[in-house]
């Protein structure tokens, strides 16, 4: 059983399009995260949700909007995609928000043409 | 400001040649230091968490240690399958405890 899963694995799209990435965890964790890994492989936090409530919103363009329908799911919707959005997006989860181990999904590779 | 700096950026070892990776950090109130391994095309895989200076943890050929300013990931007699990028991370300055990652050390172990 995959603990943290993401769909799709690859996403190739044109500039200006809107796309969504989905994440699900079956670990029973309360907290979920979205990270972005750029072309230099640097991982940076974008958002964090705890029990469906947004608790971190880093300096991310408004075109990015996370949504958590329940505590097992955290989706990322991106409007008006730009070339600079090309990256790998990782979802992660942890049991609580108190600095516990985070478990990562396999990543979604987004390429904007 | 909390910071995480890893060195070296890249390391090439012969199989069996032991070495250490370094993670230097500055943080106001350590809430854990995490080591992850990332293989190409995959998500980071959790290795260790260290919470206090002097703590050590081991897993197969890997041993992580922690002081008040840095952590080391010692690799003893590495094998080619240990080739990966090793990431060090600390819970960030924000209340959400998201991880603040270093830039990683890319390790290549050759036969």
């Amino acid at each position: 059983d995959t603990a943290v899963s993401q769909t799709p694995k690859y996403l190739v799209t044109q500039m200006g399009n809107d796309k969504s990435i989905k994440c699900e965890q079956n670990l029973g964790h309360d907290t979920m995260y979205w990270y972005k890994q750029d072309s230099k492989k640097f991982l940076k936090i974008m958002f964090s949700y705890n029990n469906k409530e947004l608790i971190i919103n880093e300096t991310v363009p408004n075109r990015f909007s996370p949504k958590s329908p329940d505590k097992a799911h955290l989706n990322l919707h991106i409007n008006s995609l730009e070339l600079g959005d090309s990256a790998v997006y990782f979802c992660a989860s942890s049991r609580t928000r108190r600095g516990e181990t985070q478990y990562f999904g396999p990543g979604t590779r987004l390429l904007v043409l | 400001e909390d910071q995480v700096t890893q060195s070296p950026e890249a390391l090439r070892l012969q199989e069996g040649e032991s070495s250490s990776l370094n993670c230097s950090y500055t943080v106001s109130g350590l809430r854990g230091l995490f080591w992850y391994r990332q293989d190409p095309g995959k998500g980071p895989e959790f290795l260790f968490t260290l919470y206090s200076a002097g703590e050590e943890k081991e897993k197969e050929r890997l041993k992580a240690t922690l002081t008040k300013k840095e952590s080391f990931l010692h690799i003893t007699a590495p094998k080619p399958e240990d080739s990966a990028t090793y990431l060090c991370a600390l819970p960030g300055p924000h209340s959400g405890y998201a991880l603040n990652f270093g830039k990683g050390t890319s390790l290549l172990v050759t036969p």
Side-chain angles (χ1 to χ4, degrees):
Chain A
D1 273 353
T2 304
V4 182
S5 58
Q6 294 179 229
T7 53
K9 188 168 183 179
Y10 298 97
L11 190 51
V12 181
T13 188
Q14 297 288 332
M15 229 169 30
N17 284 351
D18 302 339
K19 290 292 178 186
S20 291
I21 307 171
K22 295 186 176 182
C23 177
E24 176 180 1
Q25 54 95 3
N26 62 6
L27 297 167
H29 288 170
D30 284 348
T31 310
M32 295 183 73
Y33 310 82
W34 278 112
Y35 288 85
K36 179 180 179 180
Q37 189 168 45
D38 61 25
S39 56
K40 295 184 179 178
K41 308 296 183 188
F42 186 51
L43 262 170
K44 191 169 181 184
I45 184 67
M46 298 174 70
F47 301 103
S48 172
Y49 267 76
N50 187 65
N51 266 324
K52 302 193 299 175
E53 182 181 345
L54 180 66
I55 52 173
I56 294 175
N57 183 354
E58 287 297 294
T59 308
V60 175
N62 290 338
R63 299 181 293 101
F64 290 78
S65 54
K67 283 192 171 58
S68 182
D70 55 61
K71 74 174 193 176
H73 296 85
L74 180 62
N75 303 324
L76 183 64
H77 188 76
I78 315 170
N79 289 327
S80 304
L81 277 155
E82 299 178 357
L83 294 176
D85 297 332
S86 296
V88 184
Y89 294 85
F90 288 100
C91 177
S93 73
S94 61
R95 193 171 65 88
T96 71
R97 56 180 286 185
R98 296 190 205 99
E100 296 192 27
T101 301
Q102 294 182 23
Y103 296 91
F104 284 77
T108 294
R109 283 139 193 86
L110 172 64
L111 178 60
V112 182
L113 302 174
Chain B
E1 183 181 328
D2 296 355
Q3 285 193 342
V4 182
T5 305
Q6 290 189 247
S7 61
E9 283 188 23
L11 182 62
R12 184 181 179 124
L13 298 173
Q14 290 272 4
E15 185 171 2
E17 179 187 1
S18 301
S19 188
S20 297
L21 314 183
N22 177 264
C23 173
S24 298
Y25 66 90
T26 55
V27 67
S28 52
L30 182 65
R31 291 162 291 193
L33 185 143
F34 296 80
W35 281 100
Y36 284 83
R37 168 190 171 131
Q38 186 174 23
D39 292 293
K42 296 192 175 180
E45 177 188 343
F46 171 71
L47 292 173
F48 304 108
T49 311
L50 302 166
Y51 286 104
S52 55
E55 189 175 358
E56 298 183 353
K57 289 195 176 170
E58 283 188 70
K59 180 180 178 180
E60 295 181 358
R61 294 176 293 282
L62 300 177
K63 179 175 158 182
T65 62
L66 182 66
T67 72
K68 288 186 179 179
K69 294 183 180 179
E70 56 192 351
S71 177
F72 291 95
L73 185 65
H74 305 279
I75 305 177
T76 303
K79 297 183 177 182
E81 53 262 43
D82 295 322
S83 297
T85 295
Y86 291 85
L87 299 165
C88 172
L90 280 79
H94 308 285
S95 60
Y97 292 92
L99 291 173
N100 185 18
F101 279 89
K103 294 188 177 180
T105 294
S106 176
L107 174 66
L108 176 64
V109 182
T110 56

